[in-house]
Amino acid sequence: TPVVLFAAIANTTYEQHFRDARINAYRSLAIVREHATRVFETHDLIAAQVELLLRDLSDEQIRAQEAPLNIELKALVDRHAQVQDIWIVDRDGRPLVTGNVFPAPANLDLSDRNYYRVFREGKLGLDGTYISSVLQGRVKGATFFQVAKARVSGAKPEFNGVDVVSVEPRYFEGFFRSVAEEPIQS
């Protein structure tokens, strides 16, 4: 009788711990999903702010106003912990202005990057958003992934380059680590 009673209690305890672990896993997943959704919504808002900032400016005007535009983009970068930089790239794949690199390296060719090519080659609609894999930077050697949107111009929208937000992978790593380390209270 004691062995059967012990086995029954052990089984009940095991099932309760397993149920609690599953509930905590689902709660953690919900928290991570909500956080990721908010981060990418923030990037959509940043892209909208960049679009407003550069609206109706030609590439030549952007180049001529690079210093004040760099200050504006730098302010956007500094307000968001997950944002590493913002790059505005022309239709040929050359940087026009950035938030953290001044002056923008005019001789740098980014036309081979997927975040540029998907829009240039029409693989993604001009109103789409592209999220790259993790990349190694060519200027500062930083590690990041890109959230890119096409720059469009004209009454009939046509490809005019890309607006690119560089995202710090360590930001997500730190957040995921904190979720994993903090027990969720029922």
Side-chain angles (χ1 to χ4, degrees), residues 13-27 184 186:
T13 302
Y14 170 79
E15 287 176 3
Q16 182 60 44
H17 285 296
F18 192 76
R19 218 176 358 260
D20 290 346
R22 183 179 296 134
I23 289 168
N24 280 340
Y26 285 134
R27 287 181 182 161
I184 297 175
S186 300

Side-chain angles (χ1 to χ4, degrees), residues 5-170:
L5 183 61
F6 176 75
I9 292 171
N11 186 49
T12 302
T13 302
Y14 170 79
E15 287 176 3
Q16 182 60 44
H17 285 296
F18 192 76
R19 218 176 358 260
D20 290 346
R22 183 179 296 134
I23 289 168
N24 280 340
Y26 285 134
R27 287 181 182 161
S28 294
L29 178 62
I31 289 169
V32 167
R33 181 182 295 141
E34 178 67 23
H35 180 262
T37 299
R38 287 184 185 196
V39 167
F40 287 106
E41 285 172 351
T42 299
H43 286 91
D44 282 342
L45 292 172
I46 291 170
Q49 287 179 301
V50 169
E51 188 176 314
L52 284 173
L53 180 66
L54 302 177
R55 183 176 49 203
D56 301 328
L57 293 179
S58 68
D59 290 355
E60 294 74 27
Q61 291 170 315
I62 292 171
R63 283 186 189 98
Q65 297 177 38
E66 182 179 4
L69 290 171
N70 165 265
I71 292 168
E72 293 281 344
L73 293 177
K74 176 71 172 147
L76 274 173
V77 169
D78 290 345
R79 282 195 299 264
H80 304 284
Q82 73 273 22
V83 176
Q84 189 175 59
D85 206 349
I86 300 171
W87 286 60
I88 310 305
V89 180
D90 72 12
R91 71 178 51 84
D92 297 320
R94 307 267 183 215
L96 293 169
V97 62
T98 79
N100 284 329
V101 178
F102 183 82
N107 61 342
L108 181 63
D109 184 1
L110 300 170
S111 63
D112 64 325
R113 295 286 199 176
N114 282 339
Y115 61 80
Y116 172 86
R117 290 183 25 234
V118 296
F119 293 110
R120 178 72 180 157
E121 296 170 5
K123 294 178 182 176
L124 186 62
L126 295 178
D127 60 343
T129 299
Y130 179 80
I131 301 172
S132 76
S133 59
V134 175
L135 302 169
Q136 187 75 34
R138 294 180 180 164
V139 175
K140 294 184 176 184
T143 302
F144 53 84
F145 65 91
Q146 302 285 44
V147 178
K149 289 189 164 286
R151 294 179 60 227
V152 293
S153 64
K156 179 182 174 235
E158 62 182 49
F159 176 77
N160 195 34
V162 290
D163 297 337
V164 186
V165 177
S166 301
V167 180
E168 181 74 50
R170 283 182 277 154

